[in-house]
Amino acid sequence: MSPPLHGIRVLELARILAGPWCGQLLADLGADVVKVERAGVGDDTRQWGPPFIPAVDGTDLGAAYFHSCNRGKRCISADFDAPEGRALVHRLARHADVVVENFKVGGLARYGLDAATLRASNPRLVVCSISGFGQDGPYAARAGYDFLIQGMGGAMSITGEPDGAPIKSGMAIADLFTGLYAANAVQAALLRRAATGEGATIDCALLDSQVAMLSSQGLNHLVSGRDAPRFGNAHPSIVPYDVFPVADGHIVIATGNDGQFRRLCEILGDPALGTHPDYLANRGRVANRAPLTAALHALTSRREASELLAKLDAAHVPAGPINTVAQVFADPQVVARGMALELDNPLAEGGTTPGIRSPIVMDGVRLASPRPAPNLGQHADEILADPAWGGAGPGAAASGAETWDPTP
Protein backbone atom coordinates (compact mmCIF):
# COMPACT_ATOMS: atom_id res chain seq x y z
CA MET A 1 0.00 0.00 0.00
CA SER A 2 1.30 3.46 -0.90
CA PRO A 3 2.02 5.88 1.95
CA PRO A 4 -0.73 8.46 2.54
CA LEU A 5 1.00 11.41 0.86
CA HIS A 6 2.37 9.46 -2.09
CA GLY A 7 2.34 11.70 -5.18
CA ILE A 8 2.38 14.96 -3.21
CA ARG A 9 5.31 17.19 -4.14
CA VAL A 10 6.70 19.50 -1.46
CA LEU A 11 9.21 22.27 -2.16
CA GLU A 12 11.05 23.16 1.03
CA LEU A 13 12.64 26.62 1.19
CA ALA A 14 13.44 26.29 4.87
CA ARG A 15 16.38 25.96 7.19
CA ILE A 16 17.21 25.42 10.89
CA LEU A 17 14.39 23.43 12.52
CA ALA A 18 10.68 24.35 12.38
CA GLY A 19 10.38 24.33 8.57
CA PRO A 20 12.65 21.30 8.05
CA TRP A 21 10.78 19.43 10.81
CA CYS A 22 7.54 20.02 8.92
CA GLY A 23 9.17 18.85 5.67
CA GLN A 24 10.61 15.73 7.29
CA LEU A 25 7.22 14.68 8.65
CA LEU A 26 5.63 15.17 5.23
CA ALA A 27 8.41 13.04 3.72
CA ASP A 28 7.78 10.32 6.29
CA LEU A 29 4.13 10.36 5.25
CA GLY A 30 5.16 9.70 1.66
CA ALA A 31 5.56 13.12 0.04
CA ASP A 32 8.40 13.82 -2.39
CA VAL A 33 10.19 16.63 -0.56
CA VAL A 34 12.76 18.68 -2.48
CA LYS A 35 14.84 20.91 -0.25
CA VAL A 36 16.29 24.01 -1.92
CA GLU A 37 19.37 25.39 -0.16
CA ARG A 38 21.50 28.40 -0.90
CA ALA A 39 24.33 27.45 -3.23
CA GLY A 40 27.67 27.13 -1.44
CA VAL A 41 26.13 27.85 1.97
CA GLY A 42 23.37 25.38 2.69
CA ASP A 43 21.32 25.02 5.83
CA ASP A 44 23.02 26.54 8.89
CA THR A 45 22.56 23.32 10.84
CA ARG A 46 24.95 21.44 8.55
CA GLN A 47 27.66 23.08 10.71
CA TRP A 48 25.94 22.78 14.10
CA GLY A 49 28.24 20.14 15.55
CA PRO A 50 29.90 18.13 16.85
CA PRO A 51 29.00 15.39 16.42
CA PHE A 52 29.25 15.03 12.65
CA ILE A 53 28.29 12.05 10.49
CA PRO A 54 31.53 10.40 9.23
CA ALA A 55 31.79 10.02 5.44
CA VAL A 56 33.29 7.08 3.62
CA ASP A 57 36.00 9.35 2.16
CA GLY A 58 37.24 10.47 5.59
CA THR A 59 35.39 13.80 5.59
CA ASP A 60 31.93 14.21 7.08
CA LEU A 61 28.32 14.48 5.88
CA GLY A 62 27.44 17.38 8.17
CA ALA A 63 26.27 17.68 11.74
CA ALA A 64 23.95 15.19 13.38
CA TYR A 65 21.64 18.15 14.03
CA PHE A 66 21.05 18.58 10.28
CA HIS A 67 20.40 14.87 9.85
CA SER A 68 17.86 14.91 12.68
CA CYS A 69 15.40 17.05 10.71
CA ASN A 70 16.20 16.51 7.02
CA ARG A 71 15.79 12.78 6.58
CA GLY A 72 13.69 11.67 3.62
CA LYS A 73 14.42 14.63 1.32
CA ARG A 74 16.15 15.27 -1.97
CA CYS A 75 18.30 18.39 -2.25
CA ILE A 76 19.12 20.94 -4.92
CA SER A 77 20.93 24.24 -4.45
CA ALA A 78 20.16 27.64 -5.98
CA ASP A 79 21.60 31.15 -5.90
CA PHE A 80 18.58 33.26 -4.96
CA ASP A 81 20.43 36.43 -6.03
CA ALA A 82 20.88 35.16 -9.59
CA PRO A 83 18.07 35.21 -12.18
CA GLU A 84 18.59 31.55 -13.04
CA GLY A 85 18.37 30.56 -9.38
CA ARG A 86 15.08 32.39 -8.91
CA ALA A 87 13.79 30.93 -12.16
CA LEU A 88 14.61 27.43 -10.92
CA VAL A 89 12.57 27.97 -7.77
CA HIS A 90 9.67 29.33 -9.87
CA ARG A 91 9.80 26.28 -12.11
CA LEU A 92 9.77 23.86 -9.17
CA ALA A 93 6.96 25.78 -7.46
CA ARG A 94 4.80 25.54 -10.58
CA HIS A 95 5.00 21.76 -10.32
CA ALA A 96 4.71 21.56 -6.52
CA ASP A 97 1.67 20.88 -4.40
CA VAL A 98 3.16 22.53 -1.32
CA VAL A 99 5.84 25.10 -0.56
CA VAL A 100 7.19 25.28 3.00
CA GLU A 101 9.28 28.39 3.72
CA ASN A 102 10.63 30.12 6.79
CA PHE A 103 12.20 33.29 5.43
CA LYS A 104 11.76 36.47 7.42
CA VAL A 105 8.45 38.18 6.73
CA GLY A 106 8.77 39.80 3.30
CA GLY A 107 12.08 38.05 2.62
CA LEU A 108 10.88 36.06 -0.37
CA ALA A 109 9.08 39.06 -1.90
CA ARG A 110 12.42 40.66 -2.78
CA TYR A 111 13.11 37.65 -5.00
CA GLY A 112 9.60 37.50 -6.47
CA LEU A 113 9.06 34.19 -4.66
CA ASP A 114 6.40 35.26 -2.16
CA ALA A 115 3.18 33.30 -1.68
CA ALA A 116 1.04 35.63 -3.81
CA THR A 117 3.43 35.43 -6.76
CA LEU A 118 3.89 31.68 -6.56
CA ARG A 119 0.15 31.05 -6.22
CA ALA A 120 -0.60 33.34 -9.17
CA SER A 121 1.21 30.88 -11.46
CA ASN A 122 -0.02 27.79 -9.58
CA PRO A 123 -3.46 28.42 -8.00
CA ARG A 124 -3.54 24.88 -6.53
CA LEU A 125 -0.37 25.56 -4.55
CA VAL A 126 -0.41 25.40 -0.74
CA VAL A 127 2.19 27.82 0.66
CA CYS A 128 3.05 27.39 4.33
CA SER A 129 5.03 30.30 5.77
CA ILE A 130 6.70 29.67 9.12
CA SER A 131 8.07 32.63 11.06
CA GLY A 132 8.86 33.69 14.59
CA PHE A 133 5.91 36.01 15.10
CA GLY A 134 3.58 35.62 12.12
CA GLN A 135 2.90 37.65 9.01
CA ASP A 136 1.32 40.59 10.86
CA GLY A 137 1.39 42.32 14.23
CA PRO A 138 3.99 44.63 15.81
CA TYR A 139 6.69 41.92 16.02
CA ALA A 140 6.24 40.51 12.51
CA ALA A 141 9.59 41.81 11.22
CA ARG A 142 11.58 40.31 14.08
CA ALA A 143 13.61 37.12 13.74
CA GLY A 144 12.34 34.38 15.99
CA TYR A 145 14.49 31.78 17.75
CA ASP A 146 13.23 28.90 19.85
CA PHE A 147 14.95 30.07 23.05
CA LEU A 148 13.49 33.57 22.75
CA ILE A 149 10.04 32.18 22.03
CA GLN A 150 10.12 29.85 25.03
CA GLY A 151 10.80 32.93 27.14
CA MET A 152 8.33 35.29 25.45
CA GLY A 153 5.61 32.63 25.16
CA GLY A 154 5.45 31.84 28.89
CA ALA A 155 6.98 28.36 28.82
CA MET A 156 10.07 29.33 30.82
CA SER A 157 8.01 31.09 33.48
CA ILE A 158 6.40 27.77 34.43
CA THR A 159 9.53 25.60 34.00
CA GLY A 160 12.13 25.20 36.74
CA GLU A 161 12.26 24.93 40.51
CA PRO A 162 10.04 27.33 42.52
CA ASP A 163 13.04 29.12 44.04
CA GLY A 164 15.30 28.84 40.99
CA ALA A 165 15.76 30.58 37.66
CA PRO A 166 13.38 30.11 34.75
CA ILE A 167 14.48 27.15 32.62
CA LYS A 168 13.95 26.34 28.96
CA SER A 169 13.06 22.87 27.78
CA GLY A 170 15.92 20.56 26.84
CA MET A 171 14.35 20.23 23.38
CA ALA A 172 13.50 23.06 20.97
CA ILE A 173 9.80 22.73 21.75
CA ALA A 174 8.64 25.93 20.04
CA ASP A 175 10.35 24.96 16.78
CA LEU A 176 9.25 21.33 16.93
CA PHE A 177 5.62 22.02 17.78
CA THR A 178 5.41 24.73 15.11
CA GLY A 179 6.68 22.19 12.58
CA LEU A 180 4.00 19.74 13.71
CA TYR A 181 1.24 22.37 13.58
CA ALA A 182 2.46 23.39 10.11
CA ALA A 183 2.40 19.81 8.79
CA ASN A 184 -1.11 19.41 10.17
CA ALA A 185 -2.23 22.64 8.50
CA VAL A 186 -0.67 21.61 5.17
CA GLN A 187 -2.58 18.33 5.15
CA ALA A 188 -5.84 20.11 6.05
CA ALA A 189 -5.25 22.54 3.15
CA LEU A 190 -4.63 19.62 0.78
CA LEU A 191 -7.92 18.03 1.86
CA ARG A 192 -9.74 21.30 1.22
CA ARG A 193 -8.01 21.64 -2.15
CA ALA A 194 -9.28 18.20 -3.13
CA ALA A 195 -12.82 19.53 -2.66
CA THR A 196 -12.41 23.07 -4.06
CA GLY A 197 -9.41 22.96 -6.38
CA GLU A 198 -7.92 25.99 -4.62
CA GLY A 199 -4.62 26.13 -2.77
CA ALA A 200 -4.02 28.06 0.43
CA THR A 201 -1.67 30.45 2.18
CA ILE A 202 -0.81 29.26 5.69
CA ASP A 203 0.71 31.48 8.38
CA CYS A 204 2.37 29.53 11.23
CA ALA A 205 4.23 31.42 13.96
CA LEU A 206 6.49 30.10 16.70
CA LEU A 207 5.02 32.50 19.27
CA ASP A 208 1.45 31.47 18.38
CA SER A 209 2.42 27.82 18.76
CA GLN A 210 4.12 28.38 22.11
CA VAL A 211 1.10 30.27 23.45
CA ALA A 212 -1.23 27.50 22.23
CA MET A 213 1.00 24.95 23.98
CA LEU A 214 0.36 26.61 27.33
CA SER A 215 -2.90 24.61 27.16
CA SER A 216 -4.18 23.98 30.71
CA GLN A 217 -1.64 26.36 32.25
CA GLY A 218 -2.79 29.15 29.97
CA LEU A 219 -6.45 28.46 30.65
CA ASN A 220 -5.79 28.29 34.39
CA HIS A 221 -4.62 31.90 34.10
CA LEU A 222 -7.56 32.98 31.94
CA VAL A 223 -9.98 31.47 34.46
CA SER A 224 -8.27 32.57 37.69
CA GLY A 225 -6.48 35.75 36.61
CA ARG A 226 -3.35 34.51 38.38
CA ASP A 227 0.07 33.71 36.96
CA ALA A 228 1.09 30.07 37.27
CA PRO A 229 4.07 29.54 39.62
CA ARG A 230 6.91 27.16 38.86
CA PHE A 231 6.49 23.72 40.43
CA GLY A 232 9.73 22.08 39.35
CA ASN A 233 8.86 18.52 38.36
CA ALA A 234 5.55 18.61 40.21
CA HIS A 235 2.14 19.07 38.59
CA PRO A 236 0.17 22.23 39.44
CA SER A 237 -3.15 20.38 39.62
CA ILE A 238 -2.37 16.75 40.54
CA VAL A 239 -0.61 15.37 43.65
CA PRO A 240 1.42 13.16 43.88
CA TYR A 241 2.75 13.66 40.36
CA ASP A 242 6.46 14.30 40.71
CA VAL A 243 10.02 13.00 40.88
CA PHE A 244 10.63 10.97 44.04
CA PRO A 245 13.92 9.94 45.67
CA VAL A 246 14.75 6.25 45.99
CA ALA A 247 17.74 4.57 47.61
CA ASP A 248 19.62 4.44 44.31
CA GLY A 249 18.49 7.60 42.53
CA HIS A 250 15.13 9.02 41.46
CA ILE A 251 11.96 7.79 39.77
CA VAL A 252 8.77 9.36 38.44
CA ILE A 253 5.44 8.62 40.13
CA ALA A 254 2.38 10.02 38.34
CA THR A 255 -0.83 9.11 40.16
CA GLY A 256 -3.87 10.26 38.23
CA ASN A 257 -6.73 9.37 40.59
CA ASP A 258 -7.62 8.60 44.19
CA GLY A 259 -7.48 4.83 43.77
CA GLN A 260 -3.96 4.95 42.42
CA PHE A 261 -2.92 7.12 45.36
CA ARG A 262 -4.29 4.64 47.89
CA ARG A 263 -2.53 1.74 46.19
CA LEU A 264 0.71 3.76 46.18
CA CYS A 265 0.49 4.24 49.94
CA GLU A 266 -0.21 0.54 50.48
CA ILE A 267 2.86 -0.45 48.45
CA LEU A 268 4.95 2.06 50.38
CA GLY A 269 3.84 0.42 53.65
CA ASP A 270 1.64 3.25 54.98
CA PRO A 271 -1.98 2.50 54.02
CA ALA A 272 -3.21 4.99 56.66
CA LEU A 273 -1.64 7.79 54.63
CA GLY A 274 -3.88 6.84 51.73
CA THR A 275 -7.03 7.14 53.83
CA HIS A 276 -6.08 10.27 55.80
CA PRO A 277 -8.96 12.76 55.46
CA ASP A 278 -6.61 15.50 54.23
CA TYR A 279 -5.45 13.27 51.36
CA LEU A 280 -8.50 11.24 50.37
CA ALA A 281 -9.28 13.39 47.33
CA ASN A 282 -6.96 15.14 44.89
CA ARG A 283 -8.24 18.57 45.93
CA GLY A 284 -7.05 17.91 49.48
CA ARG A 285 -3.73 16.54 48.30
CA VAL A 286 -3.11 19.69 46.24
CA ALA A 287 -4.02 21.90 49.24
CA ASN A 288 -1.67 19.87 51.48
CA ARG A 289 1.05 19.32 48.90
CA ALA A 290 4.05 20.08 51.15
CA PRO A 291 3.40 17.74 54.11
CA LEU A 292 2.20 14.93 51.86
CA THR A 293 5.22 15.20 49.60
CA ALA A 294 7.56 15.14 52.61
CA ALA A 295 5.85 12.01 53.93
CA LEU A 296 6.07 10.27 50.57
CA HIS A 297 9.74 11.19 50.16
CA ALA A 298 10.51 9.58 53.50
CA LEU A 299 8.85 6.36 52.32
CA THR A 300 10.21 6.16 48.76
CA SER A 301 13.79 6.96 49.77
CA ARG A 302 14.01 3.63 51.61
CA ARG A 303 13.27 1.56 48.51
CA GLU A 304 15.37 0.43 45.56
CA ALA A 305 14.15 1.74 42.19
CA SER A 306 13.77 -1.61 40.43
CA GLU A 307 11.90 -3.25 43.31
CA LEU A 308 9.54 -0.32 43.84
CA LEU A 309 8.84 0.18 40.13
CA ALA A 310 8.02 -3.51 39.70
CA LYS A 311 5.47 -3.38 42.52
CA LEU A 312 3.92 -0.15 41.29
CA ASP A 313 3.62 -1.57 37.78
CA ALA A 314 1.92 -4.71 39.11
CA ALA A 315 -0.55 -2.53 41.03
CA HIS A 316 -1.23 -0.32 37.97
CA VAL A 317 0.21 2.78 39.61
CA PRO A 318 1.86 4.90 36.86
CA ALA A 319 5.59 5.14 37.54
CA GLY A 320 8.82 4.85 35.65
CA PRO A 321 12.57 5.42 35.60
CA ILE A 322 14.32 8.61 34.52
CA ASN A 323 16.36 7.31 31.60
CA THR A 324 19.39 8.84 30.01
CA VAL A 325 19.23 9.16 26.22
CA ALA A 326 21.45 6.07 25.95
CA GLN A 327 19.05 4.13 28.19
CA VAL A 328 16.10 5.30 26.09
CA PHE A 329 17.49 3.67 22.94
CA ALA A 330 18.31 0.49 24.90
CA ASP A 331 14.83 0.31 26.43
CA PRO A 332 13.06 -2.87 25.27
CA GLN A 333 9.86 -1.00 24.39
CA VAL A 334 11.74 1.57 22.30
CA VAL A 335 13.67 -1.25 20.62
CA ALA A 336 10.46 -3.19 19.95
CA ARG A 337 8.85 -0.14 18.38
CA GLY A 338 11.83 0.38 16.05
CA MET A 339 12.43 4.02 16.94
CA ALA A 340 16.13 3.95 16.01
CA LEU A 341 16.78 3.76 12.27
CA GLU A 342 19.79 2.67 10.24
CA LEU A 343 19.38 4.20 6.77
CA ASP A 344 21.33 2.86 3.81
CA ASN A 345 23.77 5.55 2.72
CA PRO A 346 26.73 4.69 0.47
CA LEU A 347 28.29 8.08 1.23
CA ALA A 348 28.52 7.36 4.96
CA GLU A 349 31.26 5.51 6.77
CA GLY A 350 29.96 2.00 7.32
CA GLY A 351 27.28 2.42 4.67
CA THR A 352 24.49 3.64 6.94
CA THR A 353 23.28 6.82 8.61
CA PRO A 354 21.41 6.69 11.93
CA GLY A 355 17.99 8.29 12.30
CA ILE A 356 14.97 8.45 14.56
CA ARG A 357 11.70 7.43 12.98
CA SER A 358 8.42 9.26 12.91
CA PRO A 359 6.16 8.05 15.76
CA ILE A 360 3.29 7.43 13.32
CA VAL A 361 2.19 3.84 12.66
CA MET A 362 -0.60 3.41 10.10
CA ASP A 363 -2.17 0.04 9.30
CA GLY A 364 0.75 -1.58 11.07
CA VAL A 365 3.31 0.26 8.93
CA ARG A 366 5.86 2.46 10.69
CA LEU A 367 5.95 5.58 8.58
CA ALA A 368 9.54 6.68 8.08
CA SER A 369 11.22 7.53 4.81
CA PRO A 370 14.16 5.22 4.07
CA ARG A 371 16.07 8.12 2.47
CA PRO A 372 18.91 9.62 4.57
CA ALA A 373 19.42 13.37 4.84
CA PRO A 374 21.00 14.70 1.61
CA ASN A 375 24.32 16.31 0.87
CA LEU A 376 24.13 19.89 -0.36
CA GLY A 377 22.89 19.79 -3.95
CA GLN A 378 23.17 16.00 -4.04
CA HIS A 379 20.10 15.38 -6.21
CA ALA A 380 20.35 18.32 -8.63
CA ASP A 381 20.66 16.21 -11.78
CA GLU A 382 17.80 13.84 -10.98
CA ILE A 383 15.47 16.65 -9.85
CA LEU A 384 16.20 18.70 -12.98
CA ALA A 385 15.47 15.65 -15.12
CA ASP A 386 12.39 14.54 -13.15
CA PRO A 387 9.24 15.03 -15.28
CA ALA A 388 7.15 15.38 -12.12
CA TRP A 389 9.11 18.55 -11.39
CA GLY A 390 9.04 19.85 -14.98
CA GLY A 391 12.18 18.11 -16.20
CA ALA A 392 12.73 16.61 -19.62
CA GLY A 393 13.17 13.08 -18.31
CA PRO A 394 16.28 10.87 -18.37
CA GLY A 395 19.04 12.29 -20.51
CA ALA A 396 18.31 15.94 -19.69
CA ALA A 397 21.43 18.06 -19.48
CA ALA A 398 23.09 17.96 -16.09
CA SER A 399 23.01 21.73 -15.70
CA GLY A 400 19.33 21.83 -16.48
CA ALA A 401 19.77 25.37 -17.75
CA GLU A 402 17.66 24.87 -20.81
CA THR A 403 14.74 23.61 -18.68
CA TRP A 404 14.56 26.80 -16.63
CA ASP A 405 11.77 29.16 -17.56
CA PRO A 406 12.73 32.65 -16.35
CA THR A 407 9.14 33.88 -16.55
CA PRO A 408 7.56 33.95 -13.07
PDB file of all heavy atoms in Angstrom, residues 49 91 114 153 212 247 266 302 349 371:
ATOM      1  N   GLY A  49      27.686  21.305  14.879  1.00  0.00           N
ATOM      2  CA  GLY A  49      28.238  20.140  15.552  1.00  0.00           C
ATOM      3  C   GLY A  49      29.426  20.541  16.397  1.00  0.00           C
ATOM      4  O   GLY A  49      29.758  21.730  16.468  1.00  0.00           O
ATOM      5  N   ARG A  91      10.161  27.479 -11.362  1.00  0.00           N
ATOM      6  CA  ARG A  91       9.801  26.279 -12.114  1.00  0.00           C
ATOM      7  C   ARG A  91       9.359  25.159 -11.176  1.00  0.00           C
ATOM      8  O   ARG A  91       8.338  24.501 -11.384  1.00  0.00           O
ATOM      9  CB  ARG A  91      11.002  25.810 -12.940  1.00  0.00           C
ATOM     10  CG  ARG A  91      10.750  24.460 -13.613  1.00  0.00           C
ATOM     11  CD  ARG A  91      12.041  23.857 -14.154  1.00  0.00           C
ATOM     12  NE  ARG A  91      12.160  22.459 -13.775  1.00  0.00           N
ATOM     13  CZ  ARG A  91      13.197  21.701 -14.095  1.00  0.00           C
ATOM     14  NH1 ARG A  91      14.211  22.212 -14.768  1.00  0.00           N
ATOM     15  NH2 ARG A  91      13.235  20.446 -13.739  1.00  0.00           N
ATOM     16  N   ASP A 114       7.362  35.218  -3.256  1.00  0.00           N
ATOM     17  CA  ASP A 114       6.401  35.262  -2.158  1.00  0.00           C
ATOM     18  C   ASP A 114       5.172  34.424  -2.505  1.00  0.00           C
ATOM     19  O   ASP A 114       4.957  34.026  -3.655  1.00  0.00           O
ATOM     20  CB  ASP A 114       5.995  36.704  -1.882  1.00  0.00           C
ATOM     21  CG  ASP A 114       5.509  37.402  -3.135  1.00  0.00           C
ATOM     22  OD1 ASP A 114       6.347  37.662  -4.027  1.00  0.00           O
ATOM     23  OD2 ASP A 114       4.291  37.639  -3.269  1.00  0.00           O
ATOM     24  N   GLY A 153       6.890  33.327  25.209  1.00  0.00           N
ATOM     25  CA  GLY A 153       5.607  32.629  25.163  1.00  0.00           C
ATOM     26  C   GLY A 153       5.170  32.013  26.467  1.00  0.00           C
ATOM     27  O   GLY A 153       4.174  31.274  26.491  1.00  0.00           O
ATOM     28  N   ALA A 212      -0.239  28.588  22.291  1.00  0.00           N
ATOM     29  CA  ALA A 212      -1.226  27.504  22.229  1.00  0.00           C
ATOM     30  C   ALA A 212      -0.811  26.335  23.108  1.00  0.00           C
ATOM     31  O   ALA A 212      -1.651  25.666  23.723  1.00  0.00           O
ATOM     32  CB  ALA A 212      -1.408  27.043  20.776  1.00  0.00           C
ATOM     33  N   ALA A 247      16.429   4.823  47.008  1.00  0.00           N
ATOM     34  CA  ALA A 247      17.735   4.572  47.610  1.00  0.00           C
ATOM     35  C   ALA A 247      18.866   4.675  46.597  1.00  0.00           C
ATOM     36  O   ALA A 247      20.007   4.988  46.976  1.00  0.00           O
ATOM     37  CB  ALA A 247      17.738   3.201  48.275  1.00  0.00           C
ATOM     38  N   GLU A 266      -0.277   1.931  50.024  1.00  0.00           N
ATOM     39  CA  GLU A 266      -0.213   0.537  50.477  1.00  0.00           C
ATOM     40  C   GLU A 266       1.121  -0.097  50.107  1.00  0.00           C
ATOM     41  O   GLU A 266       1.747  -0.787  50.925  1.00  0.00           O
ATOM     42  CB  GLU A 266      -1.372  -0.255  49.867  1.00  0.00           C
ATOM     43  CG  GLU A 266      -2.740   0.136  50.406  1.00  0.00           C
ATOM     44  CD  GLU A 266      -3.873  -0.450  49.581  1.00  0.00           C
ATOM     45  OE1 GLU A 266      -3.582  -1.192  48.613  1.00  0.00           O
ATOM     46  OE2 GLU A 266      -5.044  -0.151  49.893  1.00  0.00           O
ATOM     47  N   ARG A 302      13.535   4.882  51.010  1.00  0.00           N
ATOM     48  CA  ARG A 302      14.014   3.630  51.613  1.00  0.00           C
ATOM     49  C   ARG A 302      14.034   2.478  50.618  1.00  0.00           C
ATOM     50  O   ARG A 302      14.560   1.405  50.920  1.00  0.00           O
ATOM     51  CB  ARG A 302      13.108   3.231  52.779  1.00  0.00           C
ATOM     52  CG  ARG A 302      12.929   4.291  53.850  1.00  0.00           C
ATOM     53  CD  ARG A 302      11.831   3.871  54.806  1.00  0.00           C
ATOM     54  NE  ARG A 302      11.471   4.934  55.745  1.00  0.00           N
ATOM     55  CZ  ARG A 302      10.405   4.901  56.538  1.00  0.00           C
ATOM     56  NH1 ARG A 302       9.580   3.853  56.476  1.00  0.00           N
ATOM     57  NH2 ARG A 302      10.152   5.892  57.356  1.00  0.00           N
ATOM     58  N   GLU A 349      30.358   6.533   6.256  1.00  0.00           N
ATOM     59  CA  GLU A 349      31.260   5.512   6.772  1.00  0.00           C
ATOM     60  C   GLU A 349      30.434   4.357   7.327  1.00  0.00           C
ATOM     61  O   GLU A 349      29.515   4.570   8.122  1.00  0.00           O
ATOM     62  CB  GLU A 349      32.128   6.122   7.870  1.00  0.00           C
ATOM     63  CG  GLU A 349      33.146   5.175   8.462  1.00  0.00           C
ATOM     64  CD  GLU A 349      33.956   5.863   9.555  1.00  0.00           C
ATOM     65  OE1 GLU A 349      34.982   6.495   9.220  1.00  0.00           O
ATOM     66  OE2 GLU A 349      33.537   5.784  10.726  1.00  0.00           O
ATOM     67  N   ARG A 371      15.037   7.269   3.082  1.00  0.00           N
ATOM     68  CA  ARG A 371      16.070   8.115   2.466  1.00  0.00           C
ATOM     69  C   ARG A 371      16.821   8.890   3.549  1.00  0.00           C
ATOM     70  O   ARG A 371      16.207   9.568   4.376  1.00  0.00           O
ATOM     71  CB  ARG A 371      15.423   9.090   1.486  1.00  0.00           C
ATOM     72  CG  ARG A 371      16.406   9.895   0.664  1.00  0.00           C
ATOM     73  CD  ARG A 371      15.692  11.001  -0.107  1.00  0.00           C
ATOM     74  NE  ARG A 371      14.804  10.493  -1.134  1.00  0.00           N
ATOM     75  CZ  ARG A 371      15.175  10.177  -2.368  1.00  0.00           C
ATOM     76  NH1 ARG A 371      16.442  10.303  -2.721  1.00  0.00           N
ATOM     77  NH2 ARG A 371      14.289   9.742  -3.244  1.00  0.00           N
TER      78      ARG A 371
END
